[in-house]
Amino acid sequence: DVKVTQSSRYLVKRTGEKVFLECVQDMDHENMFWYRQDPGLGLRLIYFSYDVKMKEKGDIPEGYSVSREKKERFSLILESASTNQTSMYLCASSRDRGGQETQYFGPGTRLLVL
Amino acid sequence: AQRVTQPEKLLSVFKGAPVELKCNYSYSGSPELFWYVQYSRQRLQLLLRHISRESIKGFTADLNKGETSFHLKKPFAQEEDSAMYYCAMEYGNKLVFGAGTILRVKS
């Protein structure tokens, strides 16, 4: 089974703090994704990566950055957290490049920014 | 812009009743379409995909290009079907998700 893990289930941070969300997958997948999940808005793609050190902006990249130094690890960074970044963050991975590949999701990190 | 629309935020049905979760998409080509499901306290997972033409847990979905729809159907709902359902469309090496529909199956 594909295993996608996220470093924290819950995080509470203060406005202006730098926040790191970590995601690790153990199936040698090429693609990795970061989404935020909000009621009434569904999942919105923040960033994705199809190879080490490669990244592409998704639909809502503002206020976020990412890092992929190793194939199995994809980090989401909030440079200066704001209250409107309070959300559930989901990481996902897929085997190959191409949207038709099944995406495997992590359990999510619920972030509260005060 | 490419968009996936799920018009119902919440669908409540009785056990044994038929279920139809609606999904419409806007895309001029021939998209790949998916249904993902998230059960309570579980991670989001793939339920079924258009290209496979499978029936998973009794659910089916047919692509109707004329109506640009990919509705999810099940003839007899079960309580364990209660979950959040997302329709998604492949576009440009990524997925575009709808807002989701909560399905509640009442006993």
Side-chain angles (χ1 to χ4, degrees), chain B residues 30-48:
Chain B
S30 295
E32 286 300 323
L33 290 150
F34 307 81
W35 279 97
Y36 279 79
V37 61
Q38 189 168 27
Y39 301 102
S40 178
R41 297 190 177 85
Q42 294 187 27
R43 59 187 69 194
L44 191 62
Q45 60 187 291
L46 178 68
L47 178 63
L48 58 78

Side-chain angles (χ1 to χ4, degrees), chain A residues 3-4 33 35 37 40-43 45 48 57-59 90 97-103 105-107, chain B residues 9 32 34 36 38 41-46 49 84 86 90-100:
Chain A
K3 196 68 179 297
V4 180
F33 306 83
Y35 296 91
Q37 181 183 30
L41 296 176
L43 274 72
L45 182 64
F48 65 106
K57 292 181 180 179
D59 300 317
L90 297 182
R97 192 172 182 181
Q100 68 271 28
E101 292 288 330
T102 299
Q103 292 193 13
F105 285 84
Chain B
K9 289 187 178 179
E32 286 300 323
F34 307 81
Y36 279 79
Q38 189 168 27
R41 297 190 177 85
Q42 294 187 27
R43 59 187 69 194
L44 191 62
Q45 60 187 291
L46 178 68
R49 55 200 298 157
M84 170 70 92
Y86 291 100
E90 178 260 339
Y91 174 69
N93 294 323
K94 57 189 180 184
L95 290 179
V96 176
F97 285 85

Side-chain angles (χ1 to χ4, degrees), chain A:
Chain A
D1 273 352
V2 176
K3 196 68 179 297
V4 180
T5 57
Q6 294 182 229
S7 53
S8 305
R9 293 302 301 272
Y10 302 95
L11 274 180
V12 180
K13 297 291 181 182
R14 297 207 174 272
T15 301
E17 279 193 78
K18 191 169 186 176
V19 182
F20 292 88
L21 303 181
E22 301 283 333
C23 176
V24 177
Q25 50 92 6
D26 67 356
M27 284 302 291
D28 201 37
H29 281 179
E30 301 288 334
N31 287 356
M32 296 188 76
F33 306 83
W34 274 108
Y35 296 91
R36 60 179 285 176
Q37 181 183 30
D38 298 290
L41 296 176
L43 274 72
R44 292 179 292 166
L45 182 64
I46 304 171
Y47 268 97
F48 65 106
S49 168
Y50 52 85
D51 202 352
V52 174
K53 297 191 187 295
M54 304 299 287
K55 61 184 179 183
E56 287 196 27
K57 292 181 180 179
D59 300 317
I60 52 164
E62 297 78 18
Y64 303 94
S65 62
V66 290
S67 172
R68 191 157 181 212
E69 296 296 319
K70 293 184 177 182
K71 192 174 185 180
E72 67 271 17
R73 189 179 298 270
F74 192 35
S75 302
L76 180 69
I77 303 150
L78 286 66
E79 295 290 342
S80 177
S82 63
T83 55
N84 62 14
Q85 292 178 311
T86 290
S87 186
M88 172 70 89
Y89 289 87
L90 297 182
C91 175
S93 71
S94 66
R95 185 181 57 182
D96 295 319
R97 192 172 182 181
Q100 68 271 28
E101 292 288 330
T102 299
Q103 292 193 13
Y104 296 88
F105 285 84
T109 296
R110 189 169 293 281
L111 173 66
L112 173 63
V113 183
L114 300 174

